[in-house]
Amino acid sequence: MQTDAKALPNPGAAHAVVVGGGTMGADVAVVLTRAACRTTVIESNTERAAGLPARVAENLKTIGREANASLLATAPSLDEVDWSTVDLVIECIPERLDIKQALFADLVRRARPDAILASNSSSFPISAIGQGLETRGRMLGLHFFMPAHLVPLVEVVLGEASDNACADSLIAFMRRCGSVPVKVKQDLPGFLANRLQHALSREAFDLIDRGIASPEDVDAAVRFGFGFRFLAAGPVMQRDHAGIDVHAAAGATMYPTFCNADHPARCLTERAADGRYGMKAGEGFYTWTPETIAAERARYDRLLRAGLDLINPELPEIQP
């Protein structure tokens, strides 16, 4: 679908609006402001909005870009934005299709005809969000991964009516922001990365259900085995390292025995049903206290930052 959207300017010359100032919206604001992009976050909750500048500034300080904190602004509603200046909108509101559809329907009259409209939704295809809208040609999925300011990957997802030129423009923009964008040419459920992740999870939790391995051993097998190697090479590159003939032969032996269930494993559904949701409930596969949660989150953050330092030479250079 042809649109009036033009190539996005460099981040330093652009104005982006992030709708939603929760955890993801705040981290997306860091991604944008670190590349000197003027960023306005729409957040109606006054307490959350008040905390945004300090949170963004703290994360910018860790990478030596604290001066860019002045590029962040907050607004309580869409009405407070000068839409004539906005080049890119990124939606980060709760995962409800009806409110996402309502937002993008509202943006039809607010946003410039050449502005790109993106959704960070991990659940809903951009085709469903933009159904029936005249803006659907310049609507794209822009799916970040938590924490968005540390995980380099971002998926640029095309819906059935999305303009490929808009996708390429957004990919170039995100690369200048220092992210690693990948193009997903069809908005299948889960897009690209989550489909790969859930394929692994299906087998992992099936092995737990069958008593073949404990949750702890599943985690260790991934973290200290093949998952450790993924930092250096993805599954496709690793086949070239190991030998495609070896992989094909191993696959022929293993694939018939893989879990192919069309529903989540018992160990997941039981916990979802009885309230063992993980950290937020104090118990999941592991038991959690406020102290162990704080320690785990600090450990997790530290390792992510260390991994980021290792791959930093391979990341796109931030180009304001």
Side-chain angles (χ1 to χ4, degrees):
M1 180 174 181
Q2 201 66 27
T3 73
D4 295 326
K6 301 174 184 176
L8 286 166
N10 285 340
H15 180 197
V17 166
V18 178
V19 185
T23 299
M24 183 60 81
D27 289 349
V28 170
V30 175
V31 173
L32 296 167
T33 54
R34 73 187 181 195
C37 178
R38 183 160 71 95
T39 304
T40 301
V41 180
I42 308 297
E43 178 51 62
S44 59
N45 182 293
T46 53
E47 183 178 350
R48 189 179 294 159
L52 271 169
R55 176 173 179 169
V56 171
E58 181 182 358
N59 282 300
L60 289 172
K61 186 176 181 180
T62 64
I63 56 173
R65 295 181 182 267
E66 55 267 35
N68 290 9
S70 62
L71 295 168
L72 177 73
T74 62
S77 72
L78 301 177
D79 293 332
E80 305 300 315
V81 175
D82 178 2
W83 289 96
S84 68
T85 70
V86 177
D87 303 290
L88 171 65
V89 180
I90 303 173
E91 170 267 306
C92 295
I93 61 179
E95 287 292 275
R96 274 184 48 189
L97 181 59
D98 58 338
I99 61 174
K100 289 181 187 291
Q101 289 175 326
L103 169 64
F104 281 93
D106 194 8
L107 291 174
V108 171
R109 65 181 181 86
R110 294 181 184 271
R112 289 195 328 245
D114 62 338
I116 290 179
L117 310 177
S119 171
N120 180 57
S121 177
S122 59
S123 304
F124 302 112
I126 196 66
S127 298
I129 296 172
Q131 188 173 15
L133 298 180
E134 62 188 63
T135 51
R136 65 190 184 278
R138 54 193 171 104
M139 288 177 61
L140 297 157
L142 186 65
H143 184 223
F144 294 84
F145 295 82
M146 292 179 64
H149 65 296
L150 294 181
V151 179
L153 182 69
V154 62
E155 296 175 316
V156 176
V157 187
L158 283 81
E160 57 188 16
S162 299
D163 186 343
N164 194 61
C166 287
D168 289 340
S169 177
L170 186 54
I171 286 170
F173 181 86
M174 294 312 306
R175 188 171 292 278
R176 295 187 197 107
C177 288
S179 297
V180 177
V182 294
K183 181 189 282 189
V184 186
K185 300 176 184 178
Q186 184 179 348
D187 54 356
L188 295 169
F191 314 135
L192 173 57
N194 274 337
R195 288 182 73 89
L196 296 172
Q197 183 172 256
H198 276 268
L200 164 64
S201 295
R202 178 169 64 177
E203 184 65 25
F205 293 120
D206 180 65
L207 291 171
I208 293 171
D209 268 359
R210 293 162 61 194
I212 293 172
S214 68
E216 294 83 358
D217 284 344
V218 166
D219 280 349
V222 175
R223 288 192 61 220
F224 301 108
F226 65 88
F228 177 72
R229 300 186 310 199
F230 279 161
L231 190 63
V236 180
M237 176 70 79
Q238 282 187 0
R239 297 291 75 78
D240 274 6
H241 275 271
I244 295 171
D245 54 333
V246 175
H247 173 73
T253 300
M254 288 186 286
Y255 286 12
T257 69
F258 283 169
C259 175
N260 196 32
D262 62 357
H263 55 273
R266 184 181 68 253
C267 60
L268 286 174
T269 56
E270 288 178 350
R271 284 167 171 80
D274 64 23
R276 288 177 290 166
Y277 300 149
M279 284 186 181
K280 62 185 177 182
E283 185 178 0
F285 287 98
Y286 301 89
T287 300
W288 300 100
T289 66
E291 294 75 21
T292 58
I293 290 172
E296 169 56 21
R297 285 180 171 162
R299 183 199 69 85
Y300 185 78
D301 186 78
R302 174 177 54 81
L303 286 177
L304 284 181
R305 291 184 183 277
L308 197 55
D309 287 341
L310 288 174
I311 63 173
N312 189 60
E314 299 182 35
L315 297 179
E317 183 180 351
I318 295 174
Q319 300 176 37

